Amino acid sequence: MAVAQHHDAVSGTEKQHVANDYARRLANGWQRCQVLVSNSLAALSGSTAERIYCDNLNISVCPLTEASKKFSVNVYNPLARPVSYPVRLPVNGTSYEVTDAKGKPVDCQVLAVSASTREVRRSRGSALRELLFQVEAPPLGFTTYSVSLLQDGPPPASPRPRAPTAIQNQFLRVTFDPDTGLLSSLSNLETKQSIKLTQNFYWYNASDGNNTHSDQPSGAYIFRPNSSTPFIVSSTAKTESIQGAVVQEVRQVFSPWVSQVVRLHADSRELELEWTVGPVPIGDDLGKEVITRIDTSIKTSEYFYTDSNGREVLQRRKDFRPTWNLRQSEPIAGNYYPINSRAFIKDEEDQLTVVTDRSQGGGSLHNGSLEIMLHRRLLYDDVRGVAEPLNEISDIFPEGLVVRGRLLLSLQRPPCAADAHRPLAQQVVLQPLLSFTDGELHPDTQLEFSGLQAALPLPVHLLTLTQWDEASLLLRLEHQFQSGESRVNAEPVTVNLQKMFSTLKLLGVSELSLSANQWRDEMKRFDWTPQSGERPLLKEFQDRSVWEVTLRPMEIRTFLLRVR
Amino acid sequence: MAGRCLQLASLFFFFFLFFSGALTFPLGQETEKSPTCGYESCHATKQDMLNVHLVPHTHDDVGWLKTVDQYFYGDRNDIQHAGVQYILDSVVDQLLKNPDRRFIYVETAFFYRWWRQQSSGMQQTVRQLVDEGRLEFVNGGWCMSDEATTHYSAVIDQMTMGLRFLNDTFGRCGRPRVAWHIDPFGHAREHASMFAQMGYDGFFFGRLDYQDRSLRMQKREQELLWRASESLTPPMADLFTGILPNGYNPPPGFCWDQSCDDPPIRDDPDLEDYNVDDVVKRFVAIANSQSLVYKTNHIIMTMGSDFQYENANLWYKNLDKLIRYVNAQQANGGKVNVLYSTPSCYLQELHRANSTWALKTDDFFPYADAAHDFWTGYFTSRPALKRYERVSNSNLQTCNQLEVLGGPGSRKGPFGRGTARP
């Protein structure tokens, strides 16, 4: 993970063989971690039954669940608050019973694997169907669900052709244009707000460098469309829909290389857009930079907002820089900004926040619009040293990489929007880990565990909990709200470290700098005076006691805990 | 750093008796004589002159055209001539030849690989160089992270990992004072906020929008105070930020690496092509011109670049001469004083200037190095790798947590030996 943070690693600006090396290192690290996770879960659950991990659930591949008649699913939640999480498993049966840790049956739904999933998984799996159910996992802990195949269950309903005019749950209503199959509006039923919203896929034609203004082509580093008007992949989508107790989804196919599932889970306050893009065709000798664009009725007045490394949000304005008079020379590329975990557009009434599952570039080039670049396939090197065009292929995808991801859309009133998008983004970053055990679990198995005595208050995010040495742990607690972005959550909050963990006996605590290489109270930095205003004096806030620590908005505090 | 006890809320005696022996963190390496690293080890400067801080450095990508280990070994030199192990071998050797010489090292992923292969004698020698401030660590994370596509959680972890190795190995003298992101393609405000909270006194980088740079040059605002948080009370997230004059390269004509073609200093008047006067004249002109776009009578020059110093003798031999011949002009009224320095020594002089600095509250995105050259494609490049990195971080955090919650049996249990560490 550490080398992957390098500015030619996760940035995507390395040669292909080096990108492969990073991916291999990540995979090797995860292999060693799996042993640790299995050992730990064995210690905590009392079961030493073999544990299987399925890393390809996003393409519906998991040999155990595909073949097994009875298995259990352990859901570990790394967040310090309980989460509700949709589990989606590849299966071949038609009907299943799912029970929670208390033996209570939970709603589940079986649906056919979509054509686009079959296309992207290729020969890596063969499940016919997917089993869906919603799990509730405790904070910093796990719960266990049991899944049994029912012999005489009814076959799942086939998808219905075309999109319905609307899908909705108790929180959200989404409508579709019957003529195009595209989204047409989004409403939050709790807050009684509604916006027009259409969304589609486009591609910019990447500059090949032959241009009167400049010979700069688009490449791994540089984005340079040769026209500001993107090509539409298709103005209509071929659609089908599935409606059930756990999820309602509308599957949209835009072209052989672009598809999407619009997904509304039963108890969800956000709309999921699962996009699948690739292999990006290059038979026309045109490099392509594929975007999705969401056009809404929100009056954005040329502003939009992006997060910085997943934390504080910065305001962006079209063709504008806060500290100098910009001479804009690239109307699209010069308005793109990094999005690490969220971007939003808003006016007085409405805020639409898009939470991403990875870092992406994006911009807001028209009133009410937000676009996010999803995939790039380029034919020329951009002359910054890497000396390769960004043209990703692999053994599984020799004709070009297929990429799948999710955008989560949250529509809220601006003063309350952070109350939704802050926890939502953390939930995407620290997702539950599923592990599977075949057959019946031993009756003595501990099915539920939480490492916390109680969930932490919503503003507090447990950022780090890791073994430091034999006798001590490193703990980072974070206030995940910015000051002013929430009426209820952007206030100082106090937690008691000694009352935090359920199994750890804390003997002592010391506070460290953020990087844990200095005691906090020995950290002395040079002081500097700004041209405008006073030289600020470091303000020391006193905690109520050694154990009762107060976090202020956006503060991260790092502790070394001595434990027994 | 002096030892101290942890604050104990209970069980003081139990704790004292049984655990006091484990209180080594973050004391690190104990040294016999009092070291003079850090700001104390900086060379003297001259108040009435233009002081030119020469910073010998190498920029070693932890993977780019070659993999991290190919770069370390100097493998696959057909792709790019670069071998970090040779760089560190050569630099240590050259530092020992002249106590005035300085070098900074940045990427702990490489230094760690090299350190493990050294004899205890060599390790002792290197410790002494570090204790005397001749070899100084800057930045010090496992790598120099990207700023546009990283998540703060993984950045904090990789910085912690690198800085912990330096602390465990070198103690107080291994703590970098300066954050150094000379190559990333645009700079995130959250990175600045994190660096401030990590205790760095200042931050230097090389790349910013060409229009922004040109205006800052005119206004002498290439050195500024970055207020990197709207929420944290100043100066908690205030970070002094310096923009380097030539990206991270030496000024034109003064690259003496084996990979460069600039003329060496030919200083024997009995031989052909004596060029000392010419070199001094060119250097003084560049220094004076650079001082026009910076605020104080101190300027910095980065003497190095990508994977340079594999044969450090070339650089140091010429830098020794440059310093000697330029400073010799002071006897004839020359007003330029050249010295071996480090970013922290330079920063200390800016701090001593007791000036005021332009305040910045936004960030340095997007980065363009020319009118049609916006570095905004990499925000999305390799989307599958970007997702895999994010999933891997989630798994790693889960792994770390479960190591704690499951106890020692997590590392060695029914399924074998597992680890959350590389």
Side-chain angles (χ1 to χ4, degrees):
Chain A
M1 271 304 294
V3 291
Q5 306 311 307
H6 169 57
H7 58 271
D8 294 304
V10 65
S11 59
T13 53
E14 64 283 71
K15 281 188 184 287
Q16 184 63 50
H17 81 102
V18 180
N20 296 345
D21 183 64
Y22 288 124
R24 189 181 51 76
R25 284 167 188 276
L26 292 172
N28 288 348
W30 174 225
Q31 285 302 318
R32 290 197 291 268
C33 251
Q34 278 181 9
V35 177
L36 189 150
V37 169
S38 292
N39 286 337
S40 177
L41 290 176
L44 295 170
S45 71
S47 163
T48 54
E50 194 194 1
R51 214 168 267 282
I52 304 293
Y53 301 85
C54 286
D55 297 333
N56 290 324
L57 289 175
N58 67 332
I59 52 165
S60 288
V61 175
C62 179
L64 187 148
T65 63
E66 288 171 46
S68 176
K69 292 190 170 70
K70 183 162 183 61
F71 58 92
S72 64
V73 188
N74 178 295
V75 184
Y76 179 81
N77 167 26
L79 294 173
R81 57 189 174 78
V83 292
S84 179
Y85 180 74
V87 167
R88 192 178 189 93
L89 305 175
V91 292
N92 282 305
T94 55
S95 182
Y96 289 82
E97 183 186 59
V98 180
T99 55
D100 66 15
K102 295 185 179 64
K104 202 173 130 238
V106 299
D107 280 343
C108 65
Q109 185 180 340
V110 176
L111 43 81
V113 168
S114 70
S116 71
T117 294
R118 287 199 303 272
E119 171 53 30
V120 68
R121 82 178 174 204
R122 304 205 165 167
S123 60
R124 290 175 287 176
S126 58
L128 299 171
R129 289 175 273 277
E130 290 167 343
L131 169 67
L132 269 89
F133 54 98
Q134 196 75 19
V135 297
E136 312 287 330
L140 207 70
F142 63 80
T143 189
T144 313
Y145 285 76
S146 295
V147 179
S148 310
L149 175 69
L150 297 178
Q151 284 307 341
D152 46 2
S158 313
R160 277 179 291 186
R162 301 175 65 82
T165 52
I167 54 175
Q168 77 175 67
N169 64 14
Q170 55 179 311
F171 304 118
L172 285 184
R173 177 179 167 83
V174 190
T175 63
F176 293 84
D177 181 327
D179 296 328
T180 61
L182 303 178
L183 288 166
S184 59
S185 77
L186 178 64
S187 308
N188 182 328
L189 303 174
E190 279 185 300
T191 56
K192 300 191 169 45
Q193 59 188 128
S194 189
I195 57 168
K196 285 187 196 156
L197 183 155
T198 61
Q199 177 247 0
N200 209 335
F201 294 86
Y202 307 80
W203 55 274
Y204 289 105
N205 180 8
S207 175
D208 58 11
N210 294 321
N211 184 293
T212 49
H213 296 296
S214 156
D215 57 5
Q216 177 62 50
S218 240
Y221 303 89
I222 308 278
F223 171 34
R224 185 165 183 243
N226 78 352
S227 160
S228 295
T229 311
F231 294 88
I232 195 164
V233 172
S234 170
S235 54
T236 61
K238 210 168 149 255
T239 56
E240 60 179 30
S241 73
I242 287 170
Q243 288 181 284
V246 180
V247 75
Q248 304 171 67
E249 54 182 55
V250 174
R251 297 168 173 179
Q252 303 169 310
V253 177
F254 295 86
S255 83
W257 56 279
V258 177
S259 65
Q260 177 173 261
V261 183
V262 179
R263 204 172 265 152
L264 185 59
H265 289 100
D267 295 315
S268 174
R269 287 180 162 84
E270 58 280 341
L271 183 69
E272 176 181 321
L273 304 179
E274 188 188 55
W275 50 270
T276 304
V277 175
V280 178
I282 49 170
D284 51 8
D285 288 333
L286 301 177
K288 296 180 181 63
E289 327 228 15
V290 184
I291 62 160
T292 184
R293 197 175 76 214
I294 298 168
D295 295 299
T296 73
S297 53
I298 296 173
K299 298 171 202 63
T300 55
S301 314
E302 305 199 323
Y303 288 98
F304 86 117
Y305 302 81
T306 59
D307 66 325
S308 182
N309 299 129
R311 290 197 91 224
E312 288 189 44
V313 171
L314 281 93
Q315 186 186 62
R316 312 298 192 180
R317 188 175 158 195
K318 191 182 159 200
D319 297 331
F320 179 82
R321 304 287 186 265
T323 63
W324 83 91
N325 287 324
L326 176 69
R327 295 184 307 279
Q328 183 63 278
S329 42
E330 280 288 326
I332 308 298
N335 280 309
Y336 259 57
Y337 290 89
I339 299 166
N340 296 110
S341 60
R342 86 212 70 195
F344 57 79
I345 51 176
K346 65 174 184 176
D347 59 19
E348 292 293 308
E349 297 296 314
D350 301 303
Q351 175 168 333
L352 180 72
T353 309
V354 178
V355 172
T356 66
D357 63 350
R358 75 199 70 191
S359 291
Q360 292 167 320
S364 176
L365 301 160
H366 313 284
N367 190 30
S369 161
L370 177 66
E371 65 181 59
I372 295 177
M373 191 182 288
L374 304 175
H375 197 1
R376 321 178 69 214
R377 189 169 190 198
L378 307 172
L379 305 179
Y380 300 94
D381 175 56
D382 55 1
V383 213
R384 292 302 186 284
V386 77
E388 273 181 10
L390 185 70
N391 182 1
E392 293 175 282
I393 55 170
S394 71
D395 292 344
I396 296 165
F397 300 109
E399 76 284 32
L401 211 58
V402 182
V403 184
R404 169 172 280 187
R406 292 185 307 152
L407 302 173
L408 300 178
L409 271 52
S410 166
L411 177 65
Q412 297 287 342
R413 298 290 179 203
C416 306
D419 298 329
H421 73 68
R422 287 288 173 194
L424 183 61
Q426 293 295 11
Q427 206 171 314
V428 174
V429 169
L430 290 182
Q431 60 190 19
L433 174 66
L434 306 183
S435 55
F436 302 90
T437 308
D438 199 15
E440 193 93 44
L441 283 175
H442 190 276
D444 294 340
T445 305
Q446 181 95 23
L447 299 178
E448 276 202 293
F449 168 82
S450 174
L452 297 182
Q453 292 184 29
L456 297 185
L458 184 66
V460 182
H461 175 58
L462 190 150
L463 177 61
T464 307
L465 177 64
T466 188
Q467 199 77 34
W468 186 261
D469 55 33
E470 287 278 306
S472 52
L473 313 176
L474 191 71
L475 171 72
R476 286 194 187 91
L477 296 174
E478 168 189 358
H479 195 304
Q480 61 172 329
F481 286 83
Q482 271 178 241
S483 57
E485 73 175 0
S486 162
R487 283 181 193 141
V488 284
N489 288 313
E491 296 296 324
V493 54
T494 300
V495 291
N496 188 324
L497 300 179
Q498 259 190 331
K499 293 180 179 161
M500 188 170 289
F501 298 103
S502 60
T503 57
L504 303 172
K505 175 78 186 158
L506 306 190
L507 303 175
V509 55
S510 273
E511 187 162 6
L512 296 162
S513 69
L514 180 61
S515 44
N517 60 337
Q518 264 187 300
W519 300 114
R520 168 79 176 252
D521 60 8
E522 288 178 1
M523 187 172 117
K524 297 216 168 30
R525 303 171 59 223
F526 283 164
D527 45 6
W528 305 89
T529 311
Q531 266 165 14
S532 46
E534 300 283 296
R535 172 181 296 198
L537 293 173
L538 191 63
K539 196 170 167 191
E540 287 296 342
F541 297 100
Q542 273 299 317
D543 285 324
R544 229 179 276 168
S545 74
V546 172
W547 298 109
E548 292 170 288
V549 301
T550 300
L551 295 154
R552 287 172 176 73
M554 276 293 144
E555 195 174 15
I556 302 176
R557 296 185 64 179
T558 306
F559 301 98
L560 191 68
L561 302 176
R562 293 282 158 180
V563 291
R564 186 165 44 169
Chain B
M1 186 183 296
R4 61 176 273 195
C5 279
L6 298 172
Q7 296 155 355
L8 300 179
S10 60
L11 292 165
F12 178 83
F13 286 105
F14 174 85
F15 184 85
F16 182 75
L17 285 173
F18 292 96
F19 288 90
S20 57
L23 278 177
T24 50
F25 175 80
L27 301 177
Q29 202 62 36
E30 294 295 337
T31 43
E32 280 158 23
K33 59 178 187 199
S34 172
T36 54
C37 57
Y39 297 119
E40 295 161 50
S41 61
C42 298
H43 288 308
T45 58
K46 298 194 170 168
Q47 227 175 359
D48 55 344
M49 292 193 185
L50 174 63
N51 295 280
V52 184
H53 295 249
L54 300 181
V55 176
H57 80 106
T58 181
H59 175 65
D60 298 346
D61 289 303
V62 183
W64 180 39
L65 309 182
K66 309 202 287 191
T67 69
V68 53
D69 289 340
Q70 288 168 350
Y71 274 130
F72 175 69
Y73 284 122
D75 194 7
R76 294 301 309 272
N77 276 354
D78 56 317
I79 298 175
Q80 180 188 12
H81 188 102
V84 175
Q85 58 170 344
Y86 307 131
I87 293 173
L88 288 164
D89 288 344
S90 182
V91 162
V92 168
D93 186 48
Q94 288 299 316
L95 288 175
L96 293 170
K97 292 206 157 104
N98 174 355
D100 288 343
R101 292 175 178 175
R102 295 288 181 270
F103 196 74
I104 57 169
Y105 203 73
V106 177
E107 296 87 4
T108 303
F110 283 130
F111 189 83
Y112 166 83
R113 282 165 165 77
W114 181 81
W115 178 258
R116 288 199 307 178
Q117 296 199 334
Q118 303 311 305
S119 67
S120 61
M122 177 52 95
Q123 290 185 346
Q124 205 45 51
T125 301
V126 172
R127 277 201 188 94
Q128 190 185 339
L129 290 175
V130 173
D131 284 347
E132 292 172 6
R134 294 153 70 184
L135 174 62
E136 181 179 307
F137 295 100
V138 303
N139 213 58
W142 208 249
C143 70
M144 183 185 294
S145 53
D146 181 57
E147 299 195 41
T149 66
T150 46
H151 191 262
Y152 70 100
S153 148
V155 173
I156 292 170
D157 281 357
Q158 74 88 2
M159 292 301 297
T160 300
M161 193 167 141
L163 293 171
R164 183 178 188 184
F165 171 79
L166 295 178
N167 188 69
D168 289 350
T169 311
F170 299 105
R172 173 172 85 79
C173 290
R175 183 169 72 80
R177 310 304 172 95
V178 161
W180 182 258
H181 267 212
I182 55 180
D183 195 24
F185 334 120
H187 301 279
R189 197 176 70 180
E190 196 60 36
H191 258 74
S193 175
M194 289 188 280
F195 287 148
Q197 296 172 72
M198 289 173 180
Y200 289 104
D201 285 322
F203 176 43
F204 292 93
F205 66 69
R207 296 183 188 270
L208 78 165
D209 183 280
Y210 71 105
Q211 294 179 21
D212 192 3
R213 180 191 282 276
S214 125
L215 184 68
R216 287 183 182 281
M217 284 168 72
Q218 280 170 39
K219 293 167 74 177
R220 295 191 178 202
E221 289 185 355
Q222 292 195 86
E223 288 161 330
L224 56 111
L225 186 60
W226 199 349
R227 185 152 291 164
S229 171
E230 289 167 30
S231 295
L232 300 172
T233 315
M236 228 174 126
D238 284 3
L239 188 67
F240 180 89
T241 301
I243 297 159
L244 297 168
N246 301 297
Y248 52 89
N249 299 305
F254 292 87
C255 184
W256 287 307
D257 193 67
Q258 65 179 14
S259 64
C260 299
D261 301 321
D262 291 337
I265 298 182
R266 302 179 298 250
D267 55 347
D268 185 339
D270 294 339
L271 302 186
E272 295 291 317
D273 303 323
Y274 179 85
N275 69 349
V276 170
D277 299 339
D278 171 63
V279 168
V280 169
K281 197 174 138 207
R282 281 191 291 122
F283 186 81
V284 167
I286 285 175
N288 283 328
S289 140
Q290 188 179 323
S291 77
L292 298 177
V293 294
Y294 286 90
K295 212 165 180 176
T296 72
N297 64 326
H298 293 266
I299 58 171
I300 186 171
M301 290 184 186
T302 44
M303 306 309 276
S305 193
D306 292 3
F307 296 98
Q308 293 197 356
Y309 287 79
E310 188 177 308
N311 183 356
N313 180 44
L314 277 66
W315 259 116
Y316 281 115
K317 182 169 269 188
N318 285 286
L319 288 174
D320 283 352
K321 289 180 183 177
L322 180 72
I323 292 168
R324 190 186 334 139
Y325 292 123
V326 174
N327 290 351
Q329 295 298 310
Q330 292 168 12
N332 311 323
K335 286 288 183 190
V336 173
N337 182 49
V338 196
L339 58 145
Y340 277 118
S341 188
T342 67
S344 53
C345 291
Y346 174 62
L347 184 75
Q348 173 171 248
E349 297 295 347
L350 297 180
H351 185 244
R352 282 178 179 157
N354 208 14
S355 185
T356 63
W357 309 92
L359 194 65
K360 180 175 176 73
T361 57
D362 62 321
D363 66 357
F364 290 97
F365 286 118
Y367 163 56
D369 53 357
H372 300 283
D373 309 40
F374 277 86
W375 298 46
T376 53
Y378 80 99
F379 300 163
T380 297
S381 293
R382 301 194 187 278
L385 182 65
K386 282 181 165 67
R387 175 62 186 158
Y388 192 47
E389 183 274 336
R390 201 61 75 82
V391 172
S392 301
N393 183 45
S394 183
N395 287 339
L396 175 60
Q397 302 305 325
T398 287
C399 201
N400 283 333
Q401 293 179 2
L402 280 170
E403 181 177 6
V404 170
L405 298 173
S410 309
R411 291 185 289 279
K412 191 175 172 226
F415 299 99
R417 284 179 183 276
T419 177
R421 273 158 269 288

